[in-house]
Amino acid sequence: MWGVDVPRRHPVLRGLDHLDIWGDDATHTNILVEPEVMPLVQQLLEESQINYWVEVEDVMSLVQQERQFMKEVKKRTRRTRAEHPMDWDVYHDLKDIDEFLRWLKRVGGDMVQVVSVATTEEGRQVLVVMLTDPSSPLPKKKVWLEAGIHAREWISPAVATYILNLFATDKSWRDLLQVTEWYVVPVANPDGYQYTFTTDRARLWRKNRANNHSGCIGVDLNRNWNTHWGVGASANPCSETYKGLFPFSEPETQGLQAMMKATDIDLFISLHSYGQSVLYPYGWTKNSPANVNQLQHLATMFVNAVRATSHEQINYNMGGAAQLYGLASGATDDWAYEALNVSLSYTIELPDRGRYGFMLSEKHISSTAVETAEGLKCMVGYITGTEHQCANNRKVSWYSALYSLFW
Ligand code: 0X9
Ligand code: ZN
């Protein structure tokens, strides 16, 4: 993976066919360069006097190491618990996640419902896990947590399933259900996710597995939503950011939007990787939305809680999606914000900052999950007025009290 000292919209990068962009900011872009085209890309960058460097030497060897590790773990660990196959020390495929959800439903009783909102091209179900406490009469805030819309961002479903497990195993999380209701989508793109577990080459797949009838496969499900559809997205079916034939052309987005519409969401969060950033609308314009201060304030809750939980190791950036990641719309966060008027809508780009990118190693899964969970708990604590739940440092609490007076 190479870093180049120009933004993604630079004509030289745009001129490169089907470039796989791993991340970018206002001044530089990370690109995955296939070995066959390396000399060509190198020549082009040098001719254009664009500074570049090798950020990750050999991504494929990381992929191979990861697969080897997963094989060894599978061989070594006989299941210690009879209940479900999940842990947060290794990445799990869809079969394990499905089994975990069945377990969750069994132990959760009337607090857990699992509904299917769509059947994918390859016949898989897009599942939404609803967590509610029917015995609690208090009014509840509704939190929608979406994960795994991009296939290769494995840390995202890992964190979402970790949070589901907290509801089953941790009293303080179960207590949260007295004031909140959760809608968790552990894997919004099941076909794509399962595909990334098949071969080394497939590991870095991003889209779903729709047949585009053009020799190329897949729609970018985070470009397929009906808000400024097409801005910062591609009309080329072979592109990594192909927007689809029309908004909600895909069963995954179609099913999810229907259920989101029927849910009066208070806080929307989409988990992605990588970049270690909390992004808020807009993605389609660099202008800031009207409640940008409120969005920033709640994002700060997350950032501070993660920093405190990680003993100052993990620091997030925050900002408008277009400002930090470049123009891109048809994404879930903008749609929740604009079409559903969910005033608190975020995309969280989980760690790292690009050293390993999508190949974040297994040894970071559990710490990332713990830190993210604390960050989310803090945000939720704030919107429900139960901040004592929050692992945040005390420094911000006098400020939040003051802030809430003006909110
Ligand atoms: O481009 C995306 O879909 C997200 N980044 S990723 O590297 N995980 O693909 C960011 C989406 C941010 N939100 C909007 N652009 N609306
Ligand atoms: Zn993503």
Side-chain angles (χ1 to χ4, degrees):
M1 199 246 295
W2 294 5
V4 290
D5 262 345
V6 287
R8 76 155 73 198
R9 307 193 74 74
H10 190 282
V12 169
L13 296 189
R14 295 181 74 165
L16 287 168
D17 255 3
H18 321 322
L19 193 63
D20 190 357
I21 294 182
W22 274 34
D24 68 329
D25 59 26
T27 53
H28 96 278
T29 311
N30 286 344
I31 55 176
L32 185 67
V33 187
E34 301 281 348
E36 315 80 78
V37 296
M38 245 175 217
L40 178 79
V41 176
Q42 196 166 4
Q43 187 190 345
L44 219 68
L45 295 173
E46 277 164 13
E47 275 169 6
S48 319
Q49 298 189 324
I50 295 174
N51 184 37
Y52 69 94
W53 62 95
V54 176
E55 186 127 344
V56 181
E57 183 68 60
D58 183 357
V59 174
M60 270 342 257
S61 79
L62 288 181
V63 170
Q64 281 152 6
Q65 276 170 35
E66 183 185 68
R67 281 170 73 78
Q68 188 56 32
F69 176 82
M70 283 162 63
K71 260 194 224 148
E72 278 163 21
V73 169
K74 274 235 157 82
K75 249 192 273 159
R76 234 184 304 129
T77 46
R78 297 222 330 279
R79 270 169 66 171
T80 44
R81 283 166 281 105
E83 303 103 1
H84 66 73
M86 290 291 281
D87 57 39
W88 287 267
D89 299 324
V90 59
Y91 292 112
H92 290 270
D93 70 1
L94 214 55
K95 192 174 128 291
D96 284 359
I97 295 178
D98 283 347
E99 209 175 320
F100 167 71
L101 295 184
R102 280 193 292 276
W103 168 82
L104 189 72
K105 224 176 122 182
R106 266 201 315 278
V107 298
D110 59 357
M111 287 198 184
V112 179
Q113 267 175 280
V114 181
V115 295
S116 170
V117 295
T119 304
T120 64
E121 172 110 358
E122 294 179 351
R124 297 191 176 86
Q125 305 302 307
V126 177
L127 301 175
V128 180
V129 183
M130 294 156 62
L131 299 153
T132 46
D133 181 352
S135 69
S136 158
L138 295 171
K140 299 188 180 77
K141 297 276 184 194
K142 294 186 177 168
V143 181
W144 187 287
L145 180 67
E146 170 217 274
I149 203 165
H150 286 147
R152 63 192 174 189
E153 298 167 10
W154 284 6
I155 188 64
S156 161
V159 169
T161 49
Y162 178 81
I163 286 168
L164 287 173
N165 192 49
L166 283 174
F167 281 111
T169 56
D170 181 314
K171 183 171 175 328
S172 72
W173 278 79
R174 238 191 341 269
D175 287 348
L176 262 190
L177 294 182
Q178 288 172 12
V179 285
T180 53
E181 246 169 49
W182 288 64
Y183 298 76
V184 181
V185 187
V187 188
N189 174 11
D191 287 356
Y193 185 72
Q194 196 54 24
Y195 180 63
T196 57
F197 280 80
T198 55
T199 64
D200 289 355
R201 278 208 77 77
R203 171 65 182 89
L204 294 171
W205 189 257
R206 167 182 168 100
K207 302 185 280 182
N208 74 355
R209 296 293 295 163
N211 182 353
N212 295 330
H213 303 287
S214 63
C216 283
I217 287 181
V219 170
D220 182 350
L221 295 177
N222 216 31
R223 298 290 180 277
N224 192 238
W225 297 65
N226 191 13
T227 15
H228 309 273
W229 179 74
V231 176
S234 175
N236 178 350
C238 301
S239 161
E240 286 286 12
T241 53
Y242 177 46
K243 62 185 177 173
L245 273 181
F246 49 88
F248 300 128
S249 56
E250 304 310 294
E252 297 89 340
T253 49
Q254 184 60 246
L256 287 169
Q257 65 90 27
M259 178 140 176
M260 285 171 71
K261 255 188 199 154
T263 311
D264 194 8
I265 302 169
D266 293 290
L267 172 63
F268 173 85
I269 289 167
S270 177
L271 294 177
H272 286 247
S273 74
Y274 59 95
Q276 237 166 264
S277 310
V278 182
L279 310 177
Y280 46 78
Y282 299 107
W284 64 274
T285 165
K286 292 195 174 173
N287 294 339
S288 293
N291 67 329
V292 63
N293 290 341
Q294 185 191 27
L295 283 160
Q296 281 175 350
H297 185 71
L298 199 62
T300 309
M301 295 280 154
F302 178 88
V303 174
N304 286 342
V306 170
R307 191 189 301 124
T309 312
S310 69
H311 306 286
E312 318 291 315
Q313 294 304 301
I314 302 292
N315 289 303
Y316 271 71
N317 298 331
M318 63 173 190
Q323 283 164 8
L324 288 191
Y325 272 63
L327 289 182
S329 196
T332 54
D333 50 4
D334 277 357
W335 187 79
Y337 187 82
E338 290 205 313
L340 297 186
N341 285 320
V342 180
S343 61
L344 300 171
S345 178
Y346 298 91
T347 289
I348 296 181
E349 298 278 1
L350 295 165
D352 59 13
R353 283 190 189 276
R355 177 70 187 86
Y356 294 100
F358 306 118
M359 302 301 303
L360 185 76
S361 87
E362 282 86 352
K363 65 172 183 284
H364 295 299
I365 302 173
S366 63
S367 57
T368 304
V370 170
E371 289 149 14
T372 312
E374 283 305 324
L376 294 182
K377 196 188 214 183
C378 216
M379 288 173 113
V380 169
Y382 192 74
I383 65 167
T384 55
T386 55
E387 272 136 290
H388 56 277
Q389 303 263 17
C390 181
N392 205 346
N393 46 38
R394 246 180 247 111
K395 267 175 269 165
V396 297
S397 55
W398 67 267
Y399 175 68
S400 39
L402 192 68
Y403 190 92
S404 53
L405 286 176
F406 300 99
W407 195 359

